[in-house]
Amino acid sequence: MRDFFKMNMMRIALVQSRILWEDRAGNLEHYGLLLRQISGQADIAVLPETFSTGFSMNTAALADVPDGETVAAVKDWAAKYQFAIAGSFIAKENGQYFNRAFLVTPEGEEHYYDKRHLFRMGGEDRHFSAGSRQTIVPYRGWNVCLQVCYDLRFPVWSRNTDNAYDLLIYIANWPAAREWAWRVLLPARAMENMAFVCGVNRIGTDGNGVPYNGGSLLFDPKGTALADLSSAEDIVVCTIEKDGLDSFRTKFPAWKDADNFIIHP
């Protein structure tokens, strides 16, 4: 009965906080303390984009290798606090830099997604390499799709073909100046893909003087907000139900009429 409950319910922790600019050690300490507060209370904890450094283009100095201290810390937290953790960090691999999203489980399984759409207005395309594939992670009876910030503006990339995923997560550093787009596009992705959508953003001002006001959100497949954080540092845990999602997809099977196409990255 306990395993059945876990497979049909998912507790999502939206972890909204500041990010210390280009300070990996300080951020790992800070987020470790935040996650400790919800030990055992969630199934997935979602952190902001580039949580360990901030959205910096100083890739050569800040990048971490796949088996470096960032991933080691995340694996330790996931095992210690008994929930999966999603976020992103600046990764270096084979001489290239990636804005790499991750989902690490309490059992130590590692899943990665490299941000596809690089934010050219911030110079990200000049400092990072783009990813070329979607990542959908099976976890406790759910299929979870990882995407990062600017990906939100490109609905083709998030297309949920034949209900391949149940939960779509956007890990973000989304500036306050474009808050309205964030609030409009997240529920749009939920409704068009008939899936739960979670977007976690940071707060504070980064080293380039760009302000962020949080507004992390969780939507159900009908576009109803289940969580809506303010601009303060906060952690909110919400429970979503798979049975309700499956029932909605059965009663309103719009996904069966979706257009067929192939993405060529």
Side-chain angles (χ1 to χ4, degrees), residues 3-245:
D3 289 341
F4 177 82
F5 176 81
K6 286 185 176 180
M7 289 181 64
N8 284 274
M9 313 282 280
M10 180 73 74
R11 298 168 299 169
I12 305 175
L14 289 70
V15 183
Q16 177 175 285
S17 182
R18 68 188 189 279
I19 299 175
L20 303 175
W21 187 248
E22 299 185 345
D23 183 356
R24 180 182 294 111
N27 285 312
L28 293 181
E29 179 181 8
H30 176 63
Y31 279 89
L33 291 173
L34 290 177
L35 292 173
R36 187 172 68 181
Q37 297 176 23
I38 54 168
S39 177
Q41 300 177 35
D43 297 299
I44 297 180
V46 184
L47 312 181
E49 179 185 16
T50 55
F51 83 99
S52 56
T53 59
F55 188 62
S56 172
M57 300 301 108
N58 190 10
T59 52
L62 298 174
D64 204 355
V65 293
D67 58 350
E69 60 181 321
T70 303
V71 172
V74 172
K75 291 180 70 174
D76 180 64
W77 297 334
K80 185 182 300 183
Y81 304 135
Q82 283 300 292
F83 45 66
I85 302 172
S88 89
F89 70 107
I90 301 174
K92 181 179 181 180
E93 189 170 15
N94 298 325
Q96 295 179 291
Y97 301 103
F98 300 93
N99 188 338
R100 178 161 292 174
F102 57 81
L103 191 152
V104 175
T105 73
E107 296 75 29
E109 297 174 359
E110 303 170 37
H111 304 272
Y112 296 103
Y113 161 75
D114 292 329
K115 186 178 181 180
R116 171 63 186 162
H117 299 93
L118 303 178
F119 189 58
R120 68 176 60 248
M121 286 70 83
E124 190 178 17
D125 59 320
R126 299 194 301 274
H127 298 273
F128 290 81
S129 297
S132 60
R133 63 179 180 85
Q134 273 193 350
T135 295
I136 298 175
V137 181
Y139 177 63
R140 295 189 178 179
W142 293 69
N143 291 320
V144 182
C145 182
L146 296 175
Q147 298 207 1
V148 182
C149 204
Y150 192 43
D151 286 330
L152 177 60
R153 289 185 177 270
F154 302 93
V156 172
W157 188 243
S158 68
R159 186 65 179 170
N160 193 10
T161 304
D162 295 327
N163 297 326
Y165 64 77
D166 309 302
L167 170 64
L168 175 59
I169 293 176
Y170 285 100
I171 297 149
N173 273 207
W174 196 279
R178 291 180 287 279
E179 178 184 7
W180 180 240
W182 172 256
R183 289 186 168 273
V184 170
L185 294 176
L186 283 170
R189 298 295 89 86
M191 289 183 281
E192 69 195 11
N193 290 304
M194 304 187 76
F196 290 95
V197 171
C198 174
V200 173
N201 193 23
R202 63 161 292 176
I203 60 169
T205 301
D206 70 17
N208 294 317
V210 178
Y212 303 84
N213 62 353
S216 299
L217 296 155
L218 174 65
F219 290 96
D220 74 7
K222 297 181 181 180
T224 302
L226 305 178
D228 187 345
L229 280 65
S230 67
S231 59
E233 181 170 276
D234 200 2
I235 304 175
V236 171
V237 180
C238 288
T239 300
I240 58 177
E241 300 182 12
K242 183 94 167 23
D243 287 346
L245 171 63

